[in-house]
Amino acid sequence: METIDLNDTVTVELTEWGAVYLNALNTYKSEIATGKPVYKTDYKKGDVYKGQLWQLILDFKDGFRFDKEKVFKQLTKVC
């Protein structure tokens, strides 16, 4: 079994709650950002989200809730 390190690039499949959460987070980031950063705000259920595992944990840290479904599934290391 292959291990995953925090610095590894991974992909996940967003759930409906994960897409809603990420869209809201990115909308907020866009509103408070200085300059012209562009954040995607049209994620939907089933979209693939890619990044380093440590960044994924930071992006979704407040989205993990007992009263909601999981934010993503199908965690896969990108080789």
Side-chain angles (χ1 to χ4, degrees):
M1 181 163 141
E2 189 175 0
T3 60
I4 297 178
D5 183 85
L6 285 173
N7 290 318
D8 287 338
T9 300
V10 296
T11 60
V12 294
E13 180 183 328
L14 296 175
T15 63
E16 185 173 352
W17 167 240
V20 167
Y21 176 82
L22 193 56
N23 289 335
L25 177 66
N26 285 348
T27 298
Y28 174 73
K29 285 181 183 178
S30 294
E31 290 175 0
I32 64 167
T34 58
K36 290 282 184 182
V38 177
Y39 296 98
K40 183 175 175 177
T41 58
D42 62 349
Y43 288 102
K44 61 189 177 309
K45 178 181 178 180
D47 281 355
V48 174
Y49 189 73
K50 180 180 176 181
Q52 287 183 297
L53 181 57
W54 67 266
Q55 186 63 52
L56 188 101
I57 292 168
L58 285 178
D59 288 345
F60 289 101
K61 67 181 173 49
D62 295 324
F64 295 106
R65 297 175 41 168
F66 292 109
D67 61 336
K68 300 287 187 185
E69 68 177 320
K70 296 174 186 172
V71 288
F72 57 77
K73 57 185 179 179
Q74 303 290 330
L75 175 69
T76 307
K77 180 177 176 178
V78 176
C79 297

